[in-house]
Amino acid sequence: MPACCSAGHSGGSRAGAGMHAHRHSSGCSHMLTMFKVVSTSDGARRGELATASGTLPTPALLVYTHRGGVLNLTPDLLEKLPDAQAVQIDGLQFVNQPKPEVLQQAPGGGRRFLALDAPPRVLVATARDPAIYEYLGAMRQATKEWASVSIHTGAATVTAEQYVEAVAALQPDLWVALSDDIPNDSRSDRCPKSVDRTVAWLPACMAAAAGAPALAGAGALAAVQGGQYVNERIRCAEAAAKQPGLAGVVVAALGTGESPELRATIIAEVTARFPEGALRMVSSVGTPEDVLEAVAQGIDLFDSAHLVNLVAGGYALSFPVTPEEEAAQQAAAAGPPPAAGAAGETAAAAGAAADGGAAQEQCAADRGEDDSKINLWSLAYRTDARPLLPGCSCFACANHTRAYLHHLLQTHEMTAQVLLELHNTHHYLRFFAAIRDGIAAGRFGEYRAWFLGRRQRWLVEGR
Amino acid sequence: MAGAGAPPPALGDLPSSSSPALKFQVLAQCGRARASRMTLPHYVCETPMFMPVGTQGSVKGLTSGQLEDLGCQVILGNTYHLENRPGSELVAEMGGLHSFINWPRGMLTDSGGFQMVSLLHLADISEEGVTFQSPTDGKRMLLTPEHSIQVQNRLGADIIMALDDVVPSTAADAARFEEATHRTTRWIDRCIAAHGRPHEQNLFAIVQGGLDERLREISLKGLVERDTPGYAIGGLAGGEDKRSFVKVVSQCTAGLPAGKPRYVMGIGYPLDIVICSALGADMYDSVYPTRTARFGVALVPDGVLKLKNSAYARDYRPLDEECGCMVCRRYTRAFLHPLAAKGLAFAANLITYHNIAYMMRLSAQIRQAIKEGRYPEFVRQFVARQFPKGDIPDWVRDGCQLAGISLDGLAAATGVATAAAGAAGGQAQGGGAAAAAAAAHRDSGGVAGVAGGSEAAAAAVGAAAGASSTIAAEQQQPDRQG
């Protein structure tokens, strides 16, 4: 049974290297062994998560879902993203409409009900929609018995048992325990209460999971709350680390206004309370720079909140994923610039190219462009016949132009979001692959320095 | 080609036509229905066919790749909307509409004239043209026949439509219909004169005349003389009573050249397509399948599934058990129910995908039945499934009668309405037409005589019209098409 510690003891031969590298001993030997660290580089770790749905290489991006759908991507389009090996799904979205029994009774079970069964994907059930942060949980007081959450049917109260029932119906590979999820700036009296409840609900969730056959092979992650109070975060982490049968930890409620320094401190303090072999996830940490910082602190799993926001804003990711790509981009921009302009592809680009360097910087700002993304709402793309990102092999770039995306946004056509989600997900999956390659090659620090240097050049020198 | 049974007639004996940018070849006839091949500059189409509407350059929520996967042959773009945004000059600069939206197959653009009806409060119609007020920026824009054609020349669709003077078919002003009919004929000459790409684009004339048989005859005569590559039947699908609708379609298909494509504009209800195909029409378009999908309504052989209904909360069947589309393979009604009830885009996209798959499958079934010489039987089965109680609307009976297709067995099988029996009695008064229809029951060849005898059939309809009817309100189609 997953909720007991037997796997940790008997499965020694299967245990990863990190499993035995304990920094803290209390209760840590009870960790599940589905995860192993393969290699490390400059604080980052390249790992493998072995699940019934396949082995997921980490650090990994979990594709976002909303009520079971990959936001705008129907299954045929999701298949165009073969590297989308893992998806995140909010268990609270299955407490009601549909109720858990609708999934339980569905032929083939919850996974098939959601069409997430084939091809097999690693399913990670969370206790929060990472793209929507509802403050209701903080405004309304939860009690020891139930969490107060805001879901698609309105405000609701959810007990640990109800939550685990919904999670079990999803047949996940990993699931996050229910916690009293509050934002960073919650008051000093609210945070300890949140920690108290979170600490109490963890064993309740584990007990409920022990009785759910669907969770027999699934790994459980404890959520660590505490808002901006590091001592509360530590208190929550220490209590959670005592729980037997966990597969890892989620540093929860990030991306809610904390400073980069505070986030780094919280991640460091929380992860230090768990053994090296514990899987580490963060919630709502999303920009490329934020991801790199968290990876450098040994984080393994990330959700796609950032991509949801990018799509909603009409952005397409454009940053080079490797130094080689940066060189290629620079060559394309500088090499035969008159040719590119003269190709007549873009009247606007031709106009921009005619201007000098300083003017060009201004144009970049006018285009709603920075070093990592372009904004397709910008009028600069009205007649831009290039793909969203030249050289990109995704379905959207292989088939459509910036001009078409601009038009679809201007006319509020739903196909715009479909194509942007395809591109951005494809691009971010490549970014994560590059991160893993960097770690595996033992030069993650170099990769990170290159990436951040690019960002600095943009901010300081304007490119 | 025709299946087993009677040897297929040589293609040379079947109607055909050839224009600089369009070849039309009837491949099989079954009564008044026909299956044909239409060769357009960008695609070789099989008709009868339904054409999904991509108003502003996309079929809402779907990619052009998905439309190809679904087997769509021609999609529509709306000239009026595209001229507003992004503008036809921009589209031309981007290589035309095909290139702009990356759609390799057939395209059709309308004239912009339909917005005379759908945006009437913003339009002012004169002999010169139509003055619109842009719904996006309020600017006034004069659409003349010349301007419409120039815009459509820039968009570059395979089929472009003449600007016609559209009067809502529910309008009660006879003088307005008279004016519009003659004006449409005057405007077709201006359209032909303005058409700058006749070797790459096909200009279709549009038959007008409201519900008035005399005006339709005038319109037909005038337009057929102009010898355009194809013809549309316009001014319908605007809320007129359906018995008048089938009568007009029947009159127009009978009056149009046999070797040219016939396009009934704004038709998207599956039943309408089945009946119009029986009457010899070839092409249809409507936003209905895609729009109704966004309202959570799925099209199925038995009618529609209104997925917002909680009856589907535990229904683990696919939308349509006979459909093999991606959505039906992967999802159940129970999954779609709560998402459709909330109006989520994801559910809208899935149901849209299925509804287009349904329309493509229906079109293929119609073509197959015609080619195999069993279209009357197909119609009977289709109608029987849509009206399991036998409460077949009078207009369906009218349409079938005009097509020489008997529905006799269907009503008799039910003990429901005396009205149905009355309607059947009314049909019986059709005399010769009914006899021909009875023959059709046995062999599609039996209806051949009816095609030429539409007047007799029309007389029978007139008689049937006297029969009282209790068409259930639920059979009145919801949601007008736009």
Side-chain angles (χ1 to χ4, degrees):
Chain A
M1 293 302 293
C4 79
C5 51
S6 61
H9 292 305
S10 64
S13 60
R14 226 189 108 203
M19 188 44 222
H20 302 289
H22 298 167
R23 258 196 279 170
H24 293 257
S25 54
S26 63
C28 293
S29 60
H30 299 293
M31 281 285 161
L32 274 188
T33 57
M34 59 201 299
F35 178 69
K36 69 174 178 190
V37 175
V38 176
S39 61
T40 60
S41 170
D42 305 297
R45 45 203 228 163
R46 166 80 176 77
E48 278 179 0
L49 178 67
T51 75
S53 308
T55 298
L56 180 71
T58 66
L61 176 71
L62 309 178
V63 173
Y64 175 79
T65 64
H66 181 64
R67 300 186 68 186
V70 181
L71 198 53
N72 298 296
L73 302 184
T74 49
D76 56 323
L77 296 176
L78 187 57
E79 279 172 23
K80 297 183 187 303
L81 298 170
D83 293 337
Q85 271 192 59
V87 299
Q88 169 272 326
I89 188 161
D90 179 3
L92 291 171
Q93 290 168 356
F94 297 87
V95 170
N96 205 353
Q97 287 186 18
K99 287 189 178 300
E101 55 260 36
V102 174
L103 275 69
Q104 283 158 7
Q105 290 161 18
R111 268 181 195 252
R112 181 150 154 217
F113 184 78
L114 303 175
L116 294 171
D117 55 330
R121 291 196 171 81
V122 175
L123 211 69
V124 181
T126 62
R128 168 178 163 189
D129 183 332
I132 306 169
Y133 203 89
E134 294 287 355
Y135 284 77
L136 198 62
M139 309 302 272
R140 286 164 58 112
Q141 293 295 320
T143 70
K144 262 187 179 161
E145 284 73 41
W146 38 256
S148 177
V149 297
S150 178
I151 55 178
H152 51 276
T153 51
T157 57
V158 180
T159 65
E161 291 73 22
Q162 286 171 328
Y163 171 71
V164 170
E165 186 190 10
V167 163
L170 298 169
Q171 301 171 304
D173 296 293
L174 282 179
W175 60 279
V176 181
L178 186 67
S179 63
D180 186 15
D181 207 329
I182 57 167
N184 166 71
D185 59 353
S186 298
R187 286 178 5 191
S188 58
D189 56 337
R190 182 72 179 83
C191 289
K193 281 184 192 166
S194 157
V195 171
D196 291 346
R197 291 167 189 149
T198 300
V199 166
W201 293 344
L202 177 59
C205 285
M206 296 300 282
L215 296 177
L221 305 178
V224 171
Q225 298 287 348
Q228 62 184 307
Y229 300 97
V230 177
N231 58 330
E232 288 298 326
R233 292 276 187 177
I234 292 172
R235 182 164 75 90
C236 195
E238 285 180 344
K242 293 192 181 105
Q243 175 69 41
L246 290 176
V249 58
V250 179
V251 187
L254 297 180
T256 60
E258 74 279 6
S259 69
E261 296 77 18
L262 178 60
R263 177 186 295 175
T265 304
I266 290 171
I267 290 176
E269 292 295 342
V270 170
T271 55
R273 265 67 196 178
F274 287 81
E276 286 290 322
L279 193 56
R280 301 165 182 168
M281 177 170 167
V282 286
S283 65
S284 299
V285 169
T287 67
E289 292 80 13
D290 286 347
V291 167
L292 289 171
E293 291 307 298
V295 166
Q297 289 190 274
I299 297 298
D300 309 301
L301 293 179
F302 294 82
D303 61 47
S304 292
H306 182 56
L307 300 186
V308 176
N309 292 330
L310 287 178
V311 171
Y315 290 100
L317 286 171
S318 62
F319 63 84
V321 158
T322 61
E324 294 73 37
E325 278 186 26
E326 182 185 31
Q329 278 190 9
Q330 283 167 346
E345 284 176 341
T346 98
D355 296 330
Q360 213 165 358
E361 281 158 31
Q362 219 164 9
C363 287
D366 289 346
R367 285 196 294 271
E369 181 182 306
D370 66 13
D371 64 323
S372 68
K373 59 190 184 295
I374 64 173
N375 187 338
L376 273 304
W377 279 100
S378 167
L379 290 169
Y381 302 114
R382 279 181 75 240
T383 57
D384 193 331
R386 287 174 293 177
L388 296 174
L389 175 60
C392 176
S393 63
C394 84
F395 175 85
C397 287
N399 289 283
H400 296 290
T401 63
R402 297 174 178 183
Y404 183 52
L405 262 298
H406 171 76
H407 166 69
L408 292 176
L409 286 172
Q410 290 283 346
T411 49
H412 307 283
E413 289 284 324
M414 297 148 76
T415 310
Q417 283 74 41
V418 173
L419 293 172
L420 287 176
E421 187 179 350
L422 263 175
H423 169 75
N424 288 336
T425 309
H426 172 91
H427 194 75
Y428 233 39
L429 288 167
R430 289 183 58 238
F431 173 53
F432 273 80
I435 290 173
R436 290 194 298 270
D437 290 347
I439 301 170
R443 44 174 189 77
F444 173 73
E446 195 184 311
Y447 180 81
R448 177 177 162 224
W450 161 73
F451 200 99
L452 298 182
R454 237 191 112 253
R455 180 67 170 175
Q456 274 168 357
R457 277 201 302 285
W458 174 266
L459 292 174
V460 177
E461 302 162 24
R463 178 139 288 188
Chain B
M1 291 305 300
L11 279 186
D13 299 337
L14 291 167
S16 67
S17 67
S18 183
S19 311
L22 185 151
K23 284 189 174 48
F24 189 78
Q25 172 71 58
V26 175
L27 302 175
Q29 282 177 324
C30 182
R32 296 179 66 182
R34 72 254 195 93
S36 313
R37 180 190 304 131
M38 179 167 67
T39 305
L40 297 173
H42 287 87
Y43 201 66
V44 181
C45 313
E46 296 256 334
T47 65
M49 68 171 168
F50 174 75
M51 305 178 289
V53 179
T55 302
Q56 309 191 95
S58 85
V59 173
K60 296 193 193 308
L62 301 188
T63 67
S64 53
Q66 287 177 310
L67 294 171
E68 276 188 80
D69 294 344
L70 283 162
C72 299
Q73 307 185 82
V74 174
I75 60 172
L76 260 73
N78 284 110
T79 292
Y80 174 75
H81 292 291
L82 288 166
E83 180 64 349
N84 267 318
R85 290 181 303 191
S88 58
E89 288 180 4
L90 185 147
V91 172
E93 187 185 337
M94 301 302 294
L97 194 52
H98 281 92
S99 165
F100 184 60
I101 73 173
N102 191 28
W103 172 247
R105 298 184 182 175
M107 287 214 72
L108 185 153
T109 48
D110 68 355
S111 64
F114 179 68
Q115 277 66 33
M116 278 186 227
V117 175
S118 66
L119 303 173
L120 185 65
H121 59 291
L122 298 171
D124 179 22
I125 304 162
S126 68
E127 185 62 25
E128 189 189 3
V130 192
T131 306
F132 288 104
Q133 192 180 9
S134 164
T136 42
D137 63 6
K139 251 189 286 184
R140 287 172 79 78
M141 157 178 153
L142 175 67
L143 186 65
T144 63
E146 291 79 12
H147 184 220
S148 171
I149 298 302
Q150 283 158 7
V151 170
Q152 293 188 75
N153 281 163
R154 284 194 288 265
L155 293 175
D158 300 74
I159 296 172
I160 65 178
M161 302 305 298
L163 184 68
D164 51 352
D165 186 355
V166 187
V167 185
S169 55
T170 49
D173 185 350
R176 177 73 186 91
F177 276 111
E178 181 100 33
E179 176 193 44
T181 303
H182 293 289
R183 182 176 285 157
T184 294
T185 310
R186 289 193 296 275
W187 281 2
I188 187 68
D189 289 326
R190 288 170 59 185
C191 288
I192 292 169
H195 187 11
R197 301 175 65 185
H199 293 273
E200 300 148 286
Q201 295 182 282
N202 299 287
L203 173 64
F204 279 29
I206 306 172
V207 180
Q208 289 292 346
L211 305 177
D212 184 322
E213 197 175 336
R214 181 184 64 87
L215 290 178
R216 286 279 171 180
E217 208 53 56
I218 292 170
S219 185
L220 278 166
K221 183 171 180 298
L223 298 180
V224 170
E225 279 171 10
R226 266 71 176 183
D227 195 30
T228 53
Y231 293 91
I233 301 166
L236 297 175
E240 69 282 355
D241 79 279
K242 299 290 284 252
R243 302 186 76 169
S244 305
F245 161 77
V246 287
K247 203 171 129 209
V248 169
V249 171
S250 178
Q251 181 194 357
C252 292
T253 53
L256 287 169
K260 294 198 171 178
R262 305 159 180 166
Y263 160 33
V264 191
M265 303 180 79
I267 295 304
Y269 297 140
L271 181 60
D272 293 14
I273 289 176
V274 168
I275 299 300
C276 288
S277 296
L279 294 168
D282 309 302
M283 302 159 62
Y284 313 94
D285 81 285
S286 172
V287 298
Y288 170 69
T290 45
R291 176 176 290 176
T292 205
R294 299 197 296 279
F295 298 149
V297 178
L299 303 179
V300 294
D302 293 330
V304 297
L305 298 182
K306 294 177 178 170
L307 288 160
K308 295 184 179 184
N309 194 312
S310 60
Y312 299 112
R314 302 288 179 99
D315 190 336
Y316 295 119
R317 286 174 292 176
L319 292 177
D320 175 359
E321 287 169 292
E322 295 159 37
C323 178
C325 83
M326 175 271 292
V327 178
C328 288
R329 286 199 313 273
R330 303 300 300 267
Y331 292 107
T332 61
R333 300 171 185 184
F335 172 81
L336 287 163
H337 157 68
L339 307 189
K342 200 78 173 179
L344 290 191
F346 187 67
N349 291 356
L350 289 174
I351 303 170
T352 298
Y353 189 102
H354 164 76
N355 281 0
I356 291 179
Y358 176 82
M359 298 305 286
M360 294 302 120
R361 188 162 57 101
L362 176 66
S363 301
Q365 287 169 342
I366 290 172
R367 294 194 293 267
Q368 193 69 18
I370 294 169
K371 287 179 183 174
E372 293 175 1
R374 51 176 179 79
Y375 194 60
E377 189 52 38
F378 175 85
V379 173
R380 276 190 292 276
Q381 285 172 1
F382 186 88
V383 171
R385 286 194 73 170
Q386 298 249 327
F387 305 98
K389 293 185 214 151
D391 49 350
I392 300 165
D394 284 348
W395 74 267
V396 175
R397 298 185 173 282
D398 292 355
C400 287
Q401 186 144 22
L402 290 165
I405 295 172
S406 168
L407 296 178
D408 283 354
L410 301 184
T414 76
V416 183
T418 51
Q427 281 188 321
Q429 294 172 35
H441 221 336
R442 300 187 302 272
D443 175 6
S444 63
V447 299
V450 177
S454 61
E455 281 179 25
V461 169
S468 67
S469 170
T470 55
I471 299 174
E474 70 197 46
Q475 302 299 352
Q476 298 288 349
Q477 305 274 14
D479 176 42
R480 286 319 308 170
Q481 310 167 40

